[in-house]
Amino acid sequence: MSAIDLEFNEIQGNILGGFNTNVEVLIGLTADRSRTSDAARWLVDLAPDVTSVADVQEQRNAIKPLARGGRQLPITWLCVSVGSEYLGILREDIFVRDEAFMGGFRKRAPTALGDRTDPNSWVVGSTGAPLDVFLIVASNDEPAAQQWADQLIASAAAKGLRPTYRETARRIDDLEHFGFRDGISQPAVRGFDAKGDVGPGYFVFGYERDPGDGGYTPSGDPSNFLRNGSFLVFRRLSQDVRAFRDFCASKAASLVGDWPGLTGQHLEALLVGRWPSGALASSSIFSDPGRQPNENAFNFLDDMAGRNCPLGAHIRKVNPRDGPRDEVNVPRLLRRGIPFGPVVEEKPGADRGLAFISFQTSIKDQLEFLTGKWMNSRLRPGPDAGHDLLVGRSTTTRSLRISGPQGPVQVSDDGLQWIVPTGGGYLFAPGRSALRRMLDPLPAGVSWRLQKAVSLAVNGLFEMLAIER
């Protein structure tokens, strides 16, 4: 089999296909550590119900008529993932040499991601309720999704997996709560997308990253469990919509002397890098021009200094395209996030935000690198880029330089935050066959045990050095 021949019947559908349904029920389970074999049996029995890429491809068109009021049986999809710590308990032979995954979300969030909220207060994955198993139940029919979620929770509880988190996320016409279109720009994956140019090995284990490299799977997998799987990162990010809009309106008013006519809406767009419609934001475009054809067919070759779209705008931090950068390859993610909570106009005081979900084959070199070295840095994609005021985290006051009609202006966040991390987890979404093999005997011999001991020691050393820095 060629490395580019993707096994669509094995790879979970939310990884490459993306569910993109109207409703997703997110479920977090915490395991009774004394009932490991029962939990493993439950996962094995669940394998046939897991939705594959092939299922999504086959059912994508069939699921749409229901969203338009069609009359047919509702289609419901399922994604299953296992927490990094719990995976090591279920399968002792899996010891991935990715220090982020091995270290776990609670340890890495404060340093690598800049999430400094108290883990004891997290809504999901808190200290007392680790995120051992994470389920995503997706459908365009909410009653069907809720019914299946009820059944899954009941069957899991019977096997020692108690529900510690449940939340229903709903799409808002492809918008996030600040009002901007989300998920517009995604990597095009070779072997899956028609014009794919990014190797599937960056998102699914066992496949090539670069042509002819033989397929990417990190050492520490003697039973070949990783193939067709992916690391899932889940971050629950609460959004204070009123605070963000009030800040931008106030800042725009304070800059009127340096930038006559600047509005809060224009400043919001410049911080994001796009208008709410998805159109590219520019200092010289004063209102949303609306949906554009070929909305992703642009680069920053003609805006290397950020005179139009600020260097520190969110979209330039996560995908600099052909703009300035000091890295040859800036890592990409497959993002499958979805909003939770009611829109601010319906319930102003309610908790709302984004259930950020991404897939990658190295959390350290993809999600953490992109977050820590780009979104949380004021130096990228250029020395005067400034901070990502939308999502970036910092222990100091964040600021961003924007080129105005009368020269550059500096926008400081005044120590405010409008996105607050409220938990999450680092997890592994296995291929369907791997899930079926969860109860297989451990491989014979001691070589893999010695490799694991060395790997854990190296990971421990890296963690210690990170803490000392």
Side-chain angles (χ1 to χ4, degrees), residues 199 285 309:
I285 298 175
C309 182

Side-chain angles (χ1 to χ4, degrees), residues 61-393:
N61 289 329
I63 202 173
K64 291 179 181 178
L66 190 63
R68 299 195 298 265
R71 295 180 177 274
Q72 66 178 63
L73 292 175
I75 295 173
T76 310
W77 291 333
L78 175 66
C79 177
V80 176
S81 57
V82 181
S84 54
E85 178 185 345
Y86 195 52
L87 182 64
I89 295 173
L90 291 172
R91 292 300 312 184
E92 188 182 349
D93 53 328
I94 299 177
F95 50 101
V96 184
R97 287 183 180 168
D98 183 291
E99 63 185 87
F101 183 76
M102 295 295 288
F105 183 76
R106 281 195 306 278
K107 288 183 180 179
R108 306 283 296 188
T111 53
L113 303 180
D115 295 355
R116 293 180 175 84
T117 49
D118 182 2
N120 293 307
S121 66
W122 284 353
V123 174
V124 55
S126 65
T127 305
L131 188 57
D132 291 328
V133 176
F134 181 52
L135 308 177
I136 303 174
V137 181
S139 181
N140 281 335
D141 181 274
E142 182 163 345
Q146 299 291 1
Q147 182 179 7
W148 197 11
D150 291 341
Q151 294 169 355
L152 289 167
I153 288 173
S155 64
K159 299 297 183 180
L161 292 159
R162 62 186 175 91
T164 50
Y165 168 71
R166 177 172 179 168
E167 189 156 47
T168 301
R170 301 175 181 87
R171 298 211 173 271
I172 317 169
D173 296 328
D174 291 328
L175 305 176
E176 49 75 53
H177 278 291
F178 291 145
F180 291 82
R181 285 185 64 207
D182 193 27
I184 301 173
S185 177
Q186 295 276 16
V189 182
R190 279 199 310 272
F192 178 76
D193 293 300
K195 297 182 179 180
D197 59 351
V198 182
Y202 285 103
F203 314 110
V204 185
F205 288 112
Y207 299 96
E208 64 180 34
R209 288 183 164 186
D210 300 311
D213 67 9
Y216 176 71
T217 299
S219 57
D221 181 26
S223 300
N224 200 28
F225 266 82
L226 295 181
R227 181 174 176 82
N228 292 314
S230 181
F231 289 146
L232 185 159
V233 173
F234 170 40
R235 297 176 75 193
R236 187 182 188 276
L237 303 173
S238 291
Q239 296 175 253
D240 191 333
V241 177
R242 289 286 177 85
F244 177 66
R245 292 176 179 171
D246 289 349
F247 166 82
C248 289
S250 175
K251 278 294 177 182
S254 71
L255 293 169
V256 66
D258 299 308
W259 194 329
L262 179 65
T263 64
Q265 291 81 5
H266 192 184
L267 183 57
E268 290 177 27
L270 291 170
L271 299 187
V272 174
R274 290 186 188 266
W275 287 94
S277 68
L280 182 64
S282 170
S283 297
S284 60
I285 298 175
F286 304 104
S287 61
D288 192 338
R291 297 281 288 267
Q292 302 291 302
N294 301 317
E295 59 193 356
N296 278 313
F298 66 87
N299 57 45
F300 296 111
L301 288 174
D302 61 350
D303 191 22
M304 300 294 277
R307 292 187 176 89
N308 295 316
C309 182
L311 289 176
H314 177 65
I315 69 164
R316 298 191 73 161
K317 289 283 190 177
V318 296
N319 184 8
R321 299 178 187 255
D322 290 321
R325 50 182 165 179
D326 58 358
E327 298 286 336
V328 175
N329 294 308
V330 177
R332 303 296 305 280
L333 311 169
L334 288 175
R335 294 173 293 117
R336 307 302 183 203
I338 184 171
F340 64 84
V343 295
V344 68
E345 290 77 13
E346 292 181 0
K347 294 184 178 180
D351 185 22
R352 61 182 52 83
L354 179 70
F356 173 89
I357 294 168
S358 69
F359 290 99
Q360 55 272 292
T361 50
S362 175
I363 296 175
K364 179 179 182 293
D365 294 335
Q366 289 173 265
L367 183 280
E368 287 191 351
F369 182 90
L370 195 62
T371 301
K373 301 298 184 181
W374 282 75
M375 287 192 289
N376 292 355
S377 170
R378 64 180 180 82
L379 302 176
R380 285 172 170 158
D384 297 321
H387 293 96
D388 179 346
L389 295 191
L390 185 73
V391 179
R393 325 297 300 170

